[in-house]
Structure formats: C-alpha cells, structure tokens
Amino acid sequence: MVSDSTGTLEILSEIDFALKPQETVSIVGASGSGKSTLLSIMAGLDTPSSGTVRLAGQDLFAIDEDARAALRAHQVGFVFQSFQLLGSLTALENVMLPLELDGRKDARQAATAMLGRVGLSQRLGAYPRVLSGGEQQRVALARAFVVHPAVLLADEPTGSLDFATGEKIMELMFDLNREQGTTLVLVTHDRAIAARCSRSITIEAGRVASDALAEAL
C-alpha cells in the first residue's frame, strides 16, 4: 500500500528484491501495474504503509524527509519521461543545480564537462523551450550523472521521444552507466529496452510476477 493525499491505496503488495552494485535492472509491466509507484517508493518519494527500503544501508523510512533528501542528493540520480528541467534555467544551470545544492565549488566546470560528454557543448546557454526533446533528455541525463550517483532511477526515459531519438538516448544512458559503474533501475514498457538490462523484474497487478537474469529471459 502507499499513502497519498486521497488516503491509502493498495497499489503494491509483497514486493521483495535486492539490487547489486553496478547492476542494470528493468522493471516492466502494463500501464497501471505499479511500476512508477515502485520507483517512487525506492527513492523515498512516496511512503508505503509497511515495509522497508534500504539505500546505502539506511532505512529510508526510519529517517525524516530532510535526511531522505540529503541521502538522495548524494546517492540517487533521476531521469523522467517528461525531462523535469527548470524552464527558467539554461542547460548549464540545470546541470549545475544539484552540484550547487551540494556546495560544490567546481559546479560550473563539472556541469560543462558533463554537457560536453552528452554532446551539448554548443547548447550550454540554451533554455529548455528552445531545445528539442532529445536535447532536453540529454540535459536530464547530464544532470543525473553529474553527481556520480550510486543508483540511477529512470522512469520511461524515452516515452516522449521518437524511436530514433529514443535509441540514441538509451545508447547514451547505458554508456554513461558503464563509465560510472552506476546501478541502473529502468522502468519501461518496451521489452527491447528491458532486454538490454542484465535483469528484468515484471510487475503484474502490484506484485512481482517474475525476476529473471538476462541469461534466463
């Protein structure tokens, strides 16, 4: 179950799994099966009515929201279908933001280098409104990876992109993931994308229907 402003909803039940360092895991299932809710609970953004989520050895729901936010800032990166960029900030400023919040004095240098890595060296001063969907998702990837997170959570990252652009974004995401040794958890309805992960967890009606390594898929 998960609590929100409307009360308690039974969305997930009897979910139990662990992630290994540097593992790539897809979470697949039909719309409404609970995939995105599971990702939000894993990040400590939604609060379950029972159960435990441990990140870096810490029970996320045994600490207050400020402590959870601090833990996320150091351990977790996010990539969303809708990009979630701040429209009032340039590409560079969007990528600098998590570094600045962490007090990094090299925020501009690190963000510039990461935007170069995703192929946007010429778009540093561009605002999201003038960037294409693919460019916006590249900025989002740069923002997620610039903090070198232990875990990257991606929710349908190619859902709003055309096929060719989505393929390029996924190639870039997996390349960055290998370079940084991040644990990747990817929510997707696309079985082809899921097959690129080392492990696939299928959610049906809020429960784990299967949990298989790539060799067994």
Side-chain angles (χ1 to χ4, degrees), residues 78-107:
F78 296 93
V79 180
F80 302 96
Q81 176 178 338
S82 56
F83 317 134
Q84 297 291 332
L85 301 179
L86 296 178
S88 61
L89 301 182
T90 65
L92 179 60
E93 291 166 341
N94 266 283
V95 179
M96 287 174 61
L97 185 59
L99 299 173
E100 291 179 322
L101 292 174
D102 195 35
R104 288 270 298 271
K105 293 183 179 180
D106 65 338

Side-chain angles (χ1 to χ4, degrees), residues 2-216:
V2 61
S3 298
D4 65 10
S5 59
T6 64
T8 301
L9 305 172
E10 184 161 312
I11 299 174
L12 300 169
S13 179
E14 300 177 18
I15 302 290
D16 185 12
F17 62 86
L19 303 173
K20 297 177 181 178
Q22 302 183 30
E23 191 173 30
T24 56
V25 181
S26 65
I27 298 178
V28 300
S31 296
S33 60
K35 305 186 301 298
S36 294
T37 298
L38 176 57
L39 208 67
S40 292
I41 290 174
M42 290 171 64
L45 297 172
D46 283 340
T47 303
S49 57
S50 63
T52 300
V53 175
R54 292 192 176 275
L55 175 63
Q58 176 67 61
D59 180 353
L60 288 181
F61 303 109
I63 56 179
D64 63 26
E65 177 51 37
D66 287 343
R68 279 199 296 274
L71 188 60
R72 279 195 296 268
H74 289 95
Q75 298 287 337
V76 183
F78 296 93
V79 180
F80 302 96
Q81 176 178 338
S82 56
F83 317 134
Q84 297 291 332
L85 301 179
L86 296 178
S88 61
L89 301 182
T90 65
L92 179 60
E93 291 166 341
N94 266 283
V95 179
M96 287 174 61
L97 185 59
L99 299 173
E100 291 179 322
L101 292 174
D102 195 35
R104 288 270 298 271
K105 293 183 179 180
D106 65 338
R108 179 173 294 273
Q109 179 182 358
T112 299
M114 183 55 72
L115 282 165
R117 174 62 187 85
V118 301
L120 292 177
S121 292
Q122 306 304 314
R123 305 289 271 162
L124 303 182
Y127 289 91
R129 64 180 178 273
V130 300
L131 296 174
S132 68
E135 288 175 329
Q136 289 186 64
Q137 195 61 295
R138 286 173 182 267
V139 174
L141 284 177
R143 182 183 58 189
F145 279 104
V146 76
V147 297
H148 290 261
V151 180
L152 180 72
L153 304 177
D155 191 0
E156 299 281 6
T158 63
S160 59
L161 303 174
D162 63 76
F163 177 79
T165 302
E167 283 287 297
K168 293 177 182 177
I169 291 297
M170 290 312 304
E171 285 288 345
L172 182 57
M173 178 181 289
F174 279 103
D175 285 348
L176 289 168
N177 192 70
R178 283 190 294 269
E179 290 170 14
Q180 294 195 5
T182 304
T183 298
L184 172 65
V185 182
L186 171 65
V187 165
T188 183
H189 65 277
D190 189 325
R191 293 284 177 173
I193 292 176
R196 299 178 65 170
C197 295
S198 60
R199 177 180 170 197
S200 184
I201 297 173
T202 300
I203 303 296
E204 292 181 1
R207 298 172 183 264
V208 174
S210 67
D211 184 347
L213 297 176
E215 304 86 73

